[in-house]
């Protein structure tokens, strides 16, 4: 019997550039600054705490909404940093990473034909998630200014229609390393005021903002958080991207709808990790020290490229550094990234991969969440480009 034919729900989705570049990097033995995760270990206390939780018998289903101790720790952290205390019982839900949180938000509130505004370049899971929910993505592209990437809010405002259900934002921003500033918040407030538009705020890099700048969490603003799903991920904060534990903070009415879907697409998130994270969060030191930790790596990497032909764009947050390579080549970004991997020996990600319709800016993204020796090895090679 032949395999029955099915009509793809995501016909445009194929092998991602991340998979392609990682495979090429491995094949060519290149230094891989493409992949967006650390090549150094997490704090050894973390696996120790997981092991303790397992030994203590925390091996069965936890509550659907997350281990209470962890929800309490998240509520306390958000209150301490952003000045608003979410109710741990009715407004916080632990998720299987930010990716599941994003999909679940879209599934719970986007109906067929609803429009969702996506600001490009955008994280790769956003558009497939909108499409699975039956929504229609409406794109607004960031502009590249001399000060780096910026959101053209007049174009966001012009994209709003009576069908707009939700606006997706991401700050600090992957892939550009830009952050939202008070002027961005003011523009967003003006656009949503008096409407029913919801906000999905992807803040997985909330603890990686540099040069003493403030992370403009949506949690800080009453008029925004009342309509927002705010998402974070422990994977990014604690160097454990493989753990896939995150959370969603949202007002009770939104959380109630979120949980209806969450209950049936994951039900619960693994128990020992949640206990480990709750205990680890007793000390704020790891996330308080994170900006300095990554700022030093950013500065090391930037200093190493200072005399190169790459033009450095600002990196105000995340662990990404974008560079303009137009002084080196006029190749399209994907070709340049392949050339860089094959001929120079350093893998990067073309920013065009974060657009639905190929957009060429002559910019690639490097990840600096790497050991110093990895960064040094990459810099030695990049100096030949
Ligand atoms: C890594 C990342 C995610 C996914 O986080 P997980 O917790 O691994 O699912 C979501 N959004 C952005 C912008 C990311 O960079």
């Amino acid at each position: 019997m032949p395999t029955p034919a099915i009509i793809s729900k995501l016909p445009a989705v194929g092998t991602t550039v991340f998979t392609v570049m990682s495979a090429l990097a491995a094949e060519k033995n290149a230094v891989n600054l493409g992949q967006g995760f650390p090549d150094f270990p997490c704090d050894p206390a973390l696996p120790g705490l997981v092991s303790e939780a397992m030994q203590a018998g925390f091996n069965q289903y936890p509550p659907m909404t997350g281990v209470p101790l962890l929800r309490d720790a998240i509520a306390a952290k958000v209150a301490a940093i952003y000045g608003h205390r979410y109710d741990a019982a009715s407004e916080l839900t632990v998720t299987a990473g930010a990716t599941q949180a994003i999909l679940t938000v879209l599934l719970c509130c986007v109906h067929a034909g609803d429009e969702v505004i996506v600001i490009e370049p955008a994280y790769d899971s956003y558009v497939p998630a909108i499409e699975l929910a039956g929504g229609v993505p409406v794109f607004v592209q960031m502009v590249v200014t001399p000060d780096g990437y910026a959101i053209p809010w007049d174009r966001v405002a012009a994209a709003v229609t009576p069908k707009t259900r939700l606006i997706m934002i991401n700050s600090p921003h992957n892939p550009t390393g830009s952050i939202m500033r008070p002027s961005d918040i003011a523009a967003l407030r003006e656009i949503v005021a008096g409407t029913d538009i919801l906000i999905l705020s992807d803040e997985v890099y909330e603890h990686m903002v540099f040069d003493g700048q403030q992370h403009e969490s949506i949690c800080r603003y009453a008029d925004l958080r009342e309509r927002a799903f705010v998402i974070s991920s422990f994977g990014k904060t604690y160097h454990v991207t493989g753990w896939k534990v995150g959370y969603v903070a949202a007002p009770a009415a939104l959380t109630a709808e979120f949980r209806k879907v969450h209950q049936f697409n994951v039900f619960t998130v693994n128990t020992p990790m949640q206990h480990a994270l709750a205990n680890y969060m007793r000390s704020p030191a790891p996330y308080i020290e994170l900006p300095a930790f990554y700022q030093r790596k950013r500065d090391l990497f930037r200093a190493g490229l200072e005399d190169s032909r790459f033009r450095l764009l600002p990196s105000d947050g995340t662990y990404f550094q974008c560079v303009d390579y137009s002084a080196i080549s006029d190749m399209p970004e994907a070709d340049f990234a392949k050339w860089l991997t094959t001929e120079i020996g350093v893998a990067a990600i073309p920013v065009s991969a974060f657009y639905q319709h190929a957009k060429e800016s002559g910019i690639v993204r490097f990840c600096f969440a790497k050991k110093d020796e990895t960064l040094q090895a990459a810099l030695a090679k990049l100096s030949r480009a």
Side-chain angles (χ1 to χ4, degrees):
M1 282 282 289
T3 308
I6 59 167
I7 298 168
S8 177
K9 288 209 158 179
L10 297 171
V13 172
T15 311
T16 71
V17 68
F18 306 95
T19 310
V20 172
M21 291 309 304
S22 279
L24 189 64
E27 184 195 319
K28 301 291 177 191
N29 216 359
V31 183
N32 194 349
L33 302 191
Q35 52 189 17
F37 54 84
D39 71 343
F40 46 83
C42 66
D43 183 343
L46 272 166
L49 289 166
V50 176
S51 175
E52 268 172 40
M54 288 177 167
Q55 300 297 340
F58 293 115
N59 298 301
Q60 307 307 328
Y61 293 131
M64 184 269 280
T65 56
V67 166
L69 217 58
L70 180 56
R71 278 182 284 121
D72 288 342
I74 295 165
K77 182 201 83 167
V78 172
I81 302 181
Y82 306 123
H84 173 67
R85 183 171 282 270
Y86 284 95
D87 177 41
S90 64
E91 299 185 314
L92 290 171
T93 310
V94 178
T95 61
T99 309
Q100 183 244 320
I102 292 163
L103 177 61
T104 304
V105 166
L106 292 159
L107 289 175
C108 85
C109 65
V110 171
H111 290 256
D114 284 354
E115 293 177 357
V116 178
I117 295 180
V118 179
I119 295 163
E120 288 188 313
Y123 187 64
D124 62 342
S125 84
Y126 293 179
V127 172
I130 294 166
E131 288 173 343
L132 286 173
V136 179
V138 173
F139 299 104
V140 175
Q141 295 188 344
M142 289 173 115
V143 290
V144 191
T145 74
D147 296 329
Y149 282 88
I151 300 171
W153 288 104
D154 53 332
R155 287 187 209 159
V156 177
V160 171
T161 76
K163 286 187 178 168
T164 306
R165 176 76 288 222
L166 185 135
I167 298 179
M168 300 182 77
I169 57 169
N170 170 216
S171 178
H173 185 254
N174 176 10
T176 68
S178 61
I179 58 173
M180 285 180 65
R181 298 214 157 68
S183 59
D184 294 296
I185 296 290
L188 178 62
R189 290 173 107 161
E190 203 170 305
I191 289 169
V192 297
T195 72
D196 285 326
I197 298 172
L198 301 170
I199 295 168
L200 184 160
S201 185
D202 179 343
E203 303 186 12
V204 301
Y205 298 103
E206 63 177 322
H207 300 297
M208 297 174 212
V209 173
F210 309 133
D211 308 314
Q213 300 180 89
Q214 169 171 294
H215 169 52
E216 292 291 346
S217 175
I218 291 303
C219 303
R220 293 183 189 274
Y221 302 95
D223 56 335
L224 294 178
R225 70 172 177 259
E226 72 183 6
R227 60 175 76 238
F229 295 92
V230 177
I231 295 172
S232 190
S233 171
F234 295 105
K236 300 287 159 73
T237 302
Y238 293 146
H239 317 308
V240 288
T241 58
W243 283 24
K244 299 297 288 185
V245 183
Y247 62 87
V248 178
L254 297 184
T255 292
E257 289 305 315
F258 179 92
R259 288 175 176 176
K260 287 182 190 174
V261 176
H262 177 81
Q263 172 154 21
F264 297 113
N265 72 358
V266 279
F267 178 46
T268 60
V269 175
N270 82 69
T271 311
M273 259 74 164
Q274 290 193 61
H275 280 275
L277 288 165
N279 285 319
Y280 195 66
M281 285 182 80
R282 288 176 199 281
S283 164
Y287 58 79
I288 286 176
E289 291 159 8
L290 204 58
F293 174 82
Y294 275 124
Q295 187 172 322
R296 195 191 60 78
K297 288 193 181 290
R298 178 201 66 171
D299 291 346
L300 184 161
F301 189 60
R302 287 177 71 90
L305 289 178
E306 204 115 275
D307 297 327
S308 76
R309 291 191 290 162
F310 290 106
R311 188 173 68 79
L312 294 160
L313 275 71
S315 170
D316 290 305
T318 73
Y319 44 49
F320 300 115
Q321 173 64 58
C322 284
V323 299
D324 178 318
Y325 62 80
S326 51
I328 300 172
S329 164
D330 55 11
M331 273 186 245
E333 292 175 8
D335 294 348
F336 182 78
K338 283 182 191 148
W339 174 82
L340 200 63
T341 307
T342 309
E343 302 301 324
I344 301 295
V346 180
I349 298 291
V351 173
S352 57
F354 298 84
Y355 290 86
Q356 291 300 305
H357 306 287
K359 152 108 177 155
E360 294 295 335
S361 309
I363 296 173
V364 292
R365 186 199 79 178
F366 292 115
C367 172
F368 56 78
K370 306 294 168 190
K371 294 178 206 145
D372 286 5
E373 54 261 43
T374 308
L375 295 175
Q376 305 281 17
L379 287 168
K381 290 171 186 283
L382 288 170
S383 67
R384 302 200 313 267

